[in-house]
Amino acid sequence: MFKKIALTACVLVSAVSAETLTDQAKAMGLAPIPKNTSELYKLIDNPKNPMNAQKVELGKQLFFDPRLSKSEIISCNTCHNLATGGVDGVPAAIGHNWAHNPHHLNSPSVYNAVFAEKQFWDGRSPDLEDQAQGPMQAAPEMAAKPEHVAAVVNSIPAYVAAFRHAYNDQAMVPTFKDIADVIASFERTLVTPSRFDEYLRGCDKALSKEEKAGLQTFIDKGCASCHTGVAVGGGMQPFPLMGKFKYMGVGDFKGDANGMVKVPTLRNVEETAPYFHNGTVWSLKEAIKIMGETQLGVKLTDKETESIETFLKALTGEKPVVEYPVLPARTAKTPLPDSGK
């Protein structure tokens, strides 16, 4: 299910300088993506939707299948493009009939989303299985009713056979929930271990001197108080907290009922511009300075900003190899595309 990837070759050493900084990082809650496959499975699997190779492969096909949308031209990969950091690279998501997200919300990366505590910017979904149901139904996204999605899958014998094999149930008739569940199974495998993970495991040479200095600045300035855990983010925090966010007026999103907003993962952050919930900032340096002002109440110097940016680029990870699937053919029973409102 996972293809092994090569990171920095390293012989673990007990270096005092590395030990001190890694201890600080771990004390702030920063944690590596497990290198051992069985340990990784324990972290990413969902007991309510146990993963297996068949579910993951089927979920990959459906992740790329635009026929699940009303127009049959939008897939999950449209907004969460695996070739471009798991995002669409535009300020606000564009969906059915070229509609922009009505709240001017930016598409978060699907890479490492499994490590987040909650899903969506307002944290309304507890897991990827629940989250996967949302975009398929949302009018400004894929705009498909659950009945349409289920009808598409059940009209294609190869999909029905694949579901029955994945669930070991030869009488199974895939439901909308089943479809979302297998898509989530695939998304759970989209983890991107980086050199930072090697460093946290004791490989001192995995990070350069400049990257270590950036990590130190990241910790000293308080960034790791919110951007923590395996995701280097993924929890919920008030935003803005200590200063005004100058682009807050773009879109009407204000967080959940308590003003809490999901903290985005910083993994692969150099690949996921534009930044913030409303996609208003294209420069990573500007985003770092804004976070210092709005969340930490500090004005970061250019040197501090560049140092943090240098560290953040070390969070760019190795992507799993995903071959674009050849999808099974539609049949006479497959619903026709509808690009209307």
Side-chain angles (χ1 to χ4, degrees):
M1 195 181 304
F2 292 102
K3 182 171 181 178
K4 290 186 177 180
I5 51 181
L7 291 171
T8 306
C10 186
V11 176
L12 300 187
V13 294
S14 55
V16 174
S17 59
E19 184 180 18
T20 301
L21 182 54
T22 53
D23 283 350
Q24 289 181 50
K26 291 175 182 177
M28 291 303 299
L30 290 164
I33 294 175
K35 191 171 186 178
N36 180 279
T37 301
S38 62
E39 291 180 9
L40 178 59
Y41 263 82
K42 291 178 184 177
L43 190 60
I44 67 174
D45 199 9
N46 183 352
K48 296 179 181 179
N49 178 37
M51 296 167 61
N52 63 41
Q54 293 74 34
K55 281 185 181 180
V56 171
E57 179 60 28
L58 177 55
K60 180 181 78 172
Q61 288 184 291
L62 294 171
F63 182 89
F64 283 99
D65 198 331
R67 294 170 296 189
L68 302 187
S69 68
K70 183 179 180 181
S71 65
E72 300 197 8
I73 62 173
I74 300 172
S75 71
C76 302
N77 193 64
T78 302
C79 290
H80 302 287
N81 195 320
L82 300 186
T84 57
V87 299
D88 50 20
V90 295
I94 299 173
H96 184 71
N97 226 3
W98 293 101
H100 286 68
N101 183 282
H103 307 291
H104 207 279
L105 289 175
N106 180 254
S107 299
S109 177
V110 71
Y111 283 119
N112 305 296
V114 65
F115 299 126
E117 296 174 14
K118 296 182 179 181
Q119 305 297 328
F120 291 113
W121 283 108
D122 61 2
R124 66 183 181 273
S125 279
D127 52 39
L128 289 172
E129 284 76 5
D130 185 73
Q131 187 277 334
Q133 297 185 35
M136 286 189 280
Q137 300 179 77
E141 296 184 61
M142 295 171 76
K145 294 181 178 180
E147 308 87 74
H148 169 87
V149 176
V152 168
V153 169
N154 282 289
S155 74
I156 299 174
Y159 274 152
V160 176
F163 267 99
R164 291 175 176 177
H165 180 53
Y167 284 84
N168 193 28
D169 180 356
Q170 295 309 303
M172 182 180 189
V173 177
T175 66
F176 176 69
K177 181 180 182 302
D178 296 327
I179 294 162
D181 281 356
V182 295
I183 291 173
S185 289
F186 168 64
E187 292 176 340
R188 288 179 175 277
T189 69
L190 299 176
V191 301
T192 65
S194 67
R195 290 183 292 109
F196 177 61
D197 299 292
E198 294 291 309
Y199 182 73
L200 287 182
R201 285 192 287 266
C203 180
D204 184 46
K205 70 177 183 180
L207 296 186
S208 69
K209 178 181 177 181
E210 294 75 17
E211 289 165 343
K212 293 172 194 172
L215 172 58
Q216 188 72 69
T217 307
F218 183 83
I219 293 172
D220 291 346
K221 290 299 178 180
C223 308
S225 58
C226 294
H227 289 283
T228 189
V230 178
V232 197
M236 300 293 292
Q237 292 288 336
F239 181 83
L241 177 62
M242 301 183 71
K244 184 179 179 181
F245 177 45
K246 60 183 178 180
Y247 302 114
M248 200 68 191
V250 178
D252 61 2
F253 180 74
K254 301 294 187 293
D256 66 9
N258 298 311
M260 304 286 276
V261 177
K262 191 177 100 169
V263 180
T265 176
L266 292 181
R267 289 184 178 273
N268 308 302
V269 67
E270 70 172 321
E271 301 176 339
T272 58
Y275 305 111
F276 295 98
H277 63 274
N278 53 11
T280 47
V281 177
W282 286 90
S283 163
L284 184 52
K285 283 187 175 67
E286 183 184 1
I288 293 168
K289 286 194 171 187
I290 288 174
M291 287 300 292
E293 295 167 0
T294 61
Q295 301 307 100
L296 303 174
V298 299
K299 188 174 179 63
L300 296 170
T301 66
D302 289 343
K303 182 178 179 180
E304 290 168 337
T305 301
E306 290 175 5
S307 181
I308 292 173
E309 181 183 32
T310 297
F311 161 64
L312 293 183
K313 289 182 178 180
L315 294 173
T316 300
E318 295 281 349
K319 309 301 185 296
V321 176
V322 178
E323 294 184 4
Y324 196 98
V326 176
L327 305 177
R330 66 187 301 121
T331 70
K333 294 181 180 180
T334 306
L336 297 176
D338 179 0
S339 58
K341 295 183 179 180

